[in-house]
Amino acid sequence: MMERSRRPDQDDGEAQIPHGMSITDHEFDRIRELVYSRFGINLTEQKRSLVVGRLQKVLKQKNFATFSDFIRYVEADKTGEALDTLVNRISTNHTFFFREKEHFTYLTEQALPEVVGRMSDRDMRLWCAACSSGEESYGLAMLLMDYFGEDYRNWNAGLLATDISAHVLGIARRGVYPSDRVREVPPMMKNRYFTKVDKENYQVTEAVRREVTYRRFNLMNTDFPFKKPFHIVFCRNVMIYFDVETRDALARRFFDHMMPGGYLFIGHSETLRRDICPFEYVRPAVYRKPLK
Ligand SMILES: C[S@@+](CC[C@H](N)C(=O)[O-])C[C@H]1O[C@@H](n2cnc3c(N)ncnc32)[C@H](O)[C@@H]1O
């Protein structure tokens, strides 16, 4: 359904939306501020009807008569559930196994041999930031297990996977995916790392699941509570929601929590400002922390 055009006499910029609900400029600005300050997500004016359309469903489900009622509920809620609902409606959790395959190829053929070759211990730390429902993080774990083969058990190759949404983290922890989502997994990996749970679904094996630690984490936190620096960070398809300043600041925090020579992978449609970014540009969507 189309959003109705605004009448010139609607001086509060009231946007009419389907089913008789409307949002005022003031309400939209409050949602923008909330979403920006809590999640770093930059909602432009062009996103107005999208936001309204998506939130309207929540308002109806929860019986809020106005957007102001909903905003008050989000601001007052201490459980984090309301914020979770908000971020789930505003951003997308879209992901799939081995998305942007070139990254996984580059990781096994270039980044891992280089990083491993420089290590003096067997303590490798990877972080999959904004992991959504787990396809990306499990893909990484499977790839690592394949890369090291028999020797994997001699490595302490911890994989941390984080997202702001408790909902997607729940799916990730269970590791159960419908068969059409597992289609992208190479057959060898599918046989090795998945078990069929029923006609429709596959589950990532326990051996892979225990290699990934899922935690809720907001990338806007200015304090990254990690004791040891990471060798590899995947942070893909989330920076697209952030403005350039937020992206720069986040890249700086990654940098401060990575090993020299460590690799940062971002989404192919995302960029870091090369004049500001402390990383070396390696190739599209791949960056490295200089050795010195
Ligand atoms: C499009 S998914 C990307 C998933 C995966 N990285 C990929 O590339 O397929 C974006 C994810 O970012 C998460 N997200 C959005 N804002 C965030 C924030 N401020 N901190 C952490 N995660 C965030 C969302 O919950 C969502 O799961």
Side-chain angles (χ1 to χ4, degrees):
M1 243 188 279
M2 296 286 290
E3 184 183 328
R4 265 193 269 151
S5 59
R6 242 192 266 174
R7 292 194 322 264
D9 60 342
Q10 284 173 321
D11 57 4
D12 191 25
E14 199 176 75
Q16 295 295 328
I17 51 175
H19 312 297
M21 277 184 173
S22 60
I23 190 167
T24 64
D25 280 352
H26 178 64
E27 286 169 333
F28 184 61
D29 285 346
R30 280 178 71 193
I31 290 176
R32 277 165 86 161
E33 278 159 29
L34 194 61
V35 167
Y36 186 72
S37 64
R38 302 295 179 98
F39 316 124
I41 296 175
N42 183 28
L43 293 175
T44 56
E45 186 57 40
Q46 287 75 22
K47 295 274 165 65
R48 188 184 185 107
S49 46
L50 179 127
V51 167
V52 168
R54 287 188 176 180
L55 289 183
Q56 183 180 244
K57 285 190 196 138
V58 181
L59 264 71
K60 283 181 83 187
Q61 272 163 9
K62 298 198 181 286
N63 284 323
F64 291 116
T66 66
F67 280 91
S68 293
D69 292 345
F70 173 68
I71 295 163
R72 271 191 290 277
Y73 152 73
V74 175
E75 286 175 341
D77 177 65
K78 298 276 176 278
T79 65
E81 203 185 300
L83 278 173
D84 208 49
T85 307
L86 183 59
V87 75
N88 277 327
R89 299 308 308 166
I90 299 295
S91 74
T92 143
N93 303 122
H94 177 68
T95 185
F96 50 92
F97 281 102
F98 299 104
R99 179 182 195 175
E100 299 176 9
K101 275 200 189 83
E102 313 84 84
H103 277 163
F104 294 89
T105 311
Y106 189 82
L107 182 67
T108 33
E109 291 181 358
Q110 298 287 330
L112 277 177
E114 196 184 301
V115 167
V116 169
R118 245 191 329 265
M119 289 175 72
S120 52
D121 56 16
R122 292 181 158 232
D123 187 10
M124 172 170 288
R125 291 171 299 276
L126 288 89
W127 180 15
C128 180
C131 63
S132 189
S133 37
E135 288 86 335
E136 187 179 40
S137 37
Y138 285 133
L140 284 170
M142 292 170 197
L143 192 136
L144 270 188
M145 291 165 91
D146 269 10
Y147 180 80
F148 289 113
E150 282 293 296
D151 200 26
Y152 185 77
R153 69 171 97 95
N154 302 317
W155 279 81
N156 184 11
L159 178 57
L160 172 70
T162 61
D163 198 282
I164 199 168
S165 161
H167 172 70
V168 288
L169 288 171
I171 301 175
R173 286 191 186 102
R174 282 191 297 282
V176 175
Y177 303 96
S179 42
D180 60 338
R181 298 190 69 89
V182 180
R183 210 171 287 144
E184 287 299 310
V185 180
M188 290 265 282
M189 278 193 167
K190 190 166 156 187
N191 291 340
R192 202 174 299 152
Y193 298 124
F194 286 86
T195 47
K196 206 162 187 213
V197 275
D198 54 41
K199 243 168 80 188
E200 301 298 326
N201 299 293
Y202 286 83
Q203 184 169 33
V204 173
T205 58
E206 217 265 312
V208 178
R209 279 185 281 135
R210 66 168 175 248
E211 294 306 314
V212 188
T213 305
Y214 287 102
R215 291 276 180 277
R216 192 166 184 200
F217 184 72
N218 186 347
L219 290 167
M220 289 307 104
N221 285 0
T222 46
D223 277 339
F224 278 11
F226 311 116
K227 289 196 189 92
K228 291 182 172 178
F230 295 98
H231 295 88
I232 309 279
V233 174
F234 267 58
C235 181
R236 307 187 309 161
N237 303 305
V238 62
M239 289 205 214
I240 197 143
Y241 298 111
F242 304 157
D243 60 18
V244 278
E245 290 77 20
T246 306
R247 251 181 256 170
D248 290 341
L250 179 58
R252 181 81 232 179
R253 290 197 290 280
F254 284 137
F255 185 86
D256 292 342
H257 291 82
M258 284 176 71
M259 296 290 285
Y263 277 89
L264 171 67
F265 294 80
I266 64 173
H268 275 107
S269 52
E270 299 163 331
T271 47
L272 296 177
R273 288 196 285 184
R274 285 201 225 162
D275 50 332
I276 289 179
C277 173
F279 288 97
E280 289 167 358
Y281 170 83
V282 179
R283 52 187 279 147
V286 183
Y287 296 81
R288 183 174 44 212
K289 178 166 176 166
L291 282 170
K292 300 191 225 143

